[in-house]
Amino acid sequence: MTARLVLTAQPLTPEAFAPFGDVIAARGAADPINQGMGGRCNDLAQVDVTADGGRAAISVIRCIPEPLPIELRLMERHPLGSQCFIPLSGQRYVVVVAPAGSPPALADLRAFVCASHQGINYHRGVWHHPMLALDRECEFAEFHRAGPGTNCDEATLPGPVVVQLTG
Amino acid sequence: MTARLVLTAQPLTPEAFAPFGDVIAARGAADPINQGMGGRCNDLAQVDVTADGGRAAISVIRCIPEPLPIELRLMERHPLGSQCFIPLSGQRYVVVVAPAGSPPALADLRAFVCASHQGINYHRGVWHHPMLALDRECEFAEFHRAGPGTNCDEATLPGPVVVQLTG
């Protein structure tokens, strides 16, 4: 019998998320813009959407919240492009990721709890669980590849996994 | 002497904003996704970022709030690409736009107040005022063109203009 893995979601930081993608949030010194009324943190993500005739597209997803601890269902990856989500409902959320490559082993999984002012950009091919909402129904803007070809692979998890927020 | 124009910002809707760009928010029927735990409103915007060797990029801007009524400063346009802003701080904001083409006359200007769950995508060449924050310092994720060439034109306003929220 396979024991159930309990993953504890860590706070999202650019450094911890770097093996999987980019954090979209202001950081460091911002270049002045808008006649002194603002600043800009430029080019924060590896946007990779043009493979095999792809183009950049913008969609919106709605997510139904899931009770903690969350039972994971499967992992997916997009072999042809990066994928970015920005929260639109002022809500925190959870992402579960594993490195690009072979379908993930349980030991490869990492979970992050993301604040409402943070977006994430999965690098092309990075395994990730479908988006996990926590507190209420919420929406995300999605910046992604559109175009020909099959751009979603799924992998079953090798055993039962749940995510919690604190150890 | 030129009289001061007072623009009243209207609530942002996809229909009213259509001459200038796209509204990024859930609408209509969503396609089921994520094993029944969500839905997707697909391909909501004209993303136009590849002209003259351009590529898609993601940045973050910070905006200092401005007191109402807001005195407009200038208009700008991006001749080489579309530009999308998604609020990251759960805040409302104001956009001022005018149709692509010749530098705007005062009669061409339109102002919209946008809710915290709405993003906007300016179509390539559409004149717009630099982003206007209202209530507090706030941040936006920006999906935009990066690449060679000069991608920002500015135009002075033909007379003094202020924006207010209600008539």
Side-chain angles (χ1 to χ4, degrees):
Chain A
M1 193 176 106
T2 310
R4 185 179 81 155
L5 176 67
V6 179
L7 272 181
T8 300
Q10 305 297 321
L12 183 72
T13 66
E15 296 74 21
F17 197 65
F20 313 105
D22 312 291
V23 175
I24 313 301
R27 59 174 174 270
D31 299 326
I33 58 167
N34 294 359
Q35 302 80 49
M37 296 306 289
R40 191 151 190 268
C41 303
N42 200 39
D43 221 357
L44 298 176
Q46 291 179 35
V47 182
D48 179 359
V49 293
T50 58
D52 293 5
R55 63 178 172 85
I58 302 173
S59 299
V60 168
I61 67 165
R62 284 177 170 144
C63 296
I64 298 169
E66 309 196 36
L68 289 163
I70 300 171
E71 293 181 34
L72 300 188
R73 299 184 292 275
L74 52 76
M75 299 291 279
E76 62 181 45
R77 68 173 172 187
H78 306 299
L80 299 179
S82 58
Q83 186 185 35
C84 174
F85 291 101
I86 307 288
L88 274 172
S89 307
Q91 82 281 9
R92 63 178 186 164
Y93 58 103
V94 166
V95 298
V96 178
V97 289
S102 305
L106 292 184
D108 297 328
L109 299 172
R110 296 289 180 275
F112 296 94
V113 58
C114 312
S116 61
H117 68 280
Q118 294 176 313
I120 53 99
N121 181 59
Y122 297 125
H123 290 167
R124 180 176 169 178
V126 164
W127 291 100
H128 55 279
H129 194 275
M131 183 60 78
L132 295 170
L134 288 174
D135 303 308
R136 59 179 189 276
E137 184 166 309
C138 56
E139 297 170 2
F140 296 82
E142 181 192 355
F143 189 47
H144 62 100
R145 176 192 182 272
T150 300
N151 191 23
C152 191
D153 298 330
E154 291 183 353
T156 55
L157 288 159
V161 186
V162 298
V163 176
Q164 63 181 7
L165 292 198
T166 53
Chain B
M1 195 175 106
T2 310
R4 186 178 81 154
L5 175 67
V6 179
L7 272 182
T8 300
Q10 305 297 319
L12 182 73
T13 66
E15 297 74 20
F17 197 66
F20 314 105
D22 312 292
V23 175
I24 312 302
R27 60 175 174 270
D31 299 325
I33 58 168
N34 293 358
Q35 301 81 49
M37 297 305 289
R40 192 150 189 267
C41 302
N42 200 40
D43 221 356
L44 298 176
Q46 291 178 35
V47 181
D48 179 359
V49 294
T50 58
D52 293 5
R55 63 178 171 85
I58 302 174
S59 299
V60 169
I61 67 166
R62 285 179 170 143
C63 296
I64 299 169
E66 309 195 36
L68 289 163
I70 300 171
E71 294 182 32
L72 300 189
R73 300 184 292 274
L74 52 77
M75 299 291 279
E76 62 181 44
R77 67 173 172 187
H78 306 300
L80 300 179
S82 58
Q83 185 185 36
C84 174
F85 291 101
I86 307 287
L88 274 172
S89 307
Q91 82 281 11
R92 65 178 185 164
Y93 58 102
V94 167
V95 298
V96 179
V97 289
S102 305
L106 292 184
D108 297 328
L109 299 172
R110 296 289 179 275
F112 295 94
V113 58
C114 311
S116 60
H117 68 279
Q118 294 176 314
I120 53 99
N121 181 59
Y122 297 125
H123 290 167
R124 181 175 168 177
V126 164
W127 291 101
H128 54 278
H129 193 274
M131 183 60 77
L132 294 170
L134 288 174
D135 303 308
R136 60 180 188 275
E137 184 166 311
C138 56
E139 296 171 4
F140 296 82
E142 181 192 356
F143 301 154
H144 61 99
R145 176 194 181 274
T150 300
N151 191 22
C152 191
D153 298 330
E154 293 184 351
T156 55
L157 288 159
V161 186
V162 298
V163 176
Q164 63 182 8
L165 292 198
T166 53

